[in-house]
Amino acid sequence: MIALALPHKPPAEVVRYCGVFWARGAATLRGWEPLVKQIERGEAAIVQREEMMQQVRDTVARLAHPRLLRVEYKKGAERRPWTEESDRFLFLTVAEVGYGRWREVQRRIRRGRQWTADWFFKSRDASELRSRFRSVLRMVQRQERESTTEKDESLPKRPYTRKAAAAENAPAKVERDASPDPVAGKRGER
């Protein structure tokens, strides 16, 4: 994967350097442990980004036509500045250019004729677009889960919050004897 990120270096040279780095790094580099942790965090972020893009590609592949993507919002979200059209455009643009290329997404939004009068959408910066994309992706995933659940009611419904998950996994409450005598209720019948 690193070799692909360094097109000016031959892949064999990158592989050789990588082997030497891991073999001699701990002995020759100061601050080896924090460096390794930083590398692991970066690799985890790359894996997460690839998984997210795979989910986006899978969603787009399931659609008969990409413009048919519907984003269903929660009830009570009528006063939102984001429109279904802008969310669809954002989702499909990220599917086309790739997650993390927010400047390119911004450029395409600003060049789009359909956004000439939509100053709210045109004025979003990269971090706002990333945040909104994650929200739209969660909404689309929720829709897909719900549609799958409707097709197959035998599947258990996944909880949406930690609190709901904890309640589902909590041990069953033990029923106590409803006897008026507290001693008899604890020890059973005499």
Side-chain angles (χ1 to χ4, degrees), residues 43-62:
E43 288 176 348
I46 290 169
V47 169
Q48 182 184 20
R49 184 172 36 240
E50 288 174 354
E51 288 173 353
M52 193 177 298
M53 279 308 299
Q54 188 58 47
Q55 291 171 350
V56 169
R57 283 190 291 269
D58 292 346
T59 300
V60 172
R62 280 191 289 273

Side-chain angles (χ1 to χ4, degrees), residues 87-181:
D87 286 341
R88 181 182 313 113
F89 184 84
L90 178 62
F91 190 87
L92 296 174
T93 303
V94 171
E96 186 179 335
V97 301
Y99 183 84
R101 300 195 55 210
W102 303 112
R103 298 282 181 216
E104 177 61 26
V105 173
Q106 244 181 345
R107 227 174 275 121
R108 289 185 183 209
I109 290 169
R110 290 181 179 153
R111 288 183 190 158
R113 289 184 178 172
Q114 68 267 40
W115 313 117
T116 303
D118 191 347
W119 289 102
F120 174 80
F121 191 44
K122 285 176 71 170
S123 66
R124 300 301 92 190
D125 65 8
S127 66
E128 291 169 319
L129 292 173
R130 182 185 68 233
S131 177
R132 183 60 186 176
F133 172 76
R134 288 180 175 177
S135 297
V136 171
L137 181 60
R138 281 192 304 272
M139 285 187 272
V140 169
Q141 289 171 338
R142 186 187 73 233
Q143 284 173 222
E144 289 179 353
R145 274 196 311 267
E146 289 172 356
S147 68
T148 305
T149 304
E150 289 172 3
K151 292 177 186 175
D152 185 12
E153 287 295 328
S154 66
L155 292 175
K157 194 170 184 179
R158 291 182 59 192
Y160 292 109
T161 63
R162 290 182 187 169
K163 196 173 190 180
E168 265 190 23
N169 296 330
K173 291 183 178 179
V174 179
E175 291 187 30
R176 292 186 172 184
D177 186 7
S179 161
D181 183 4

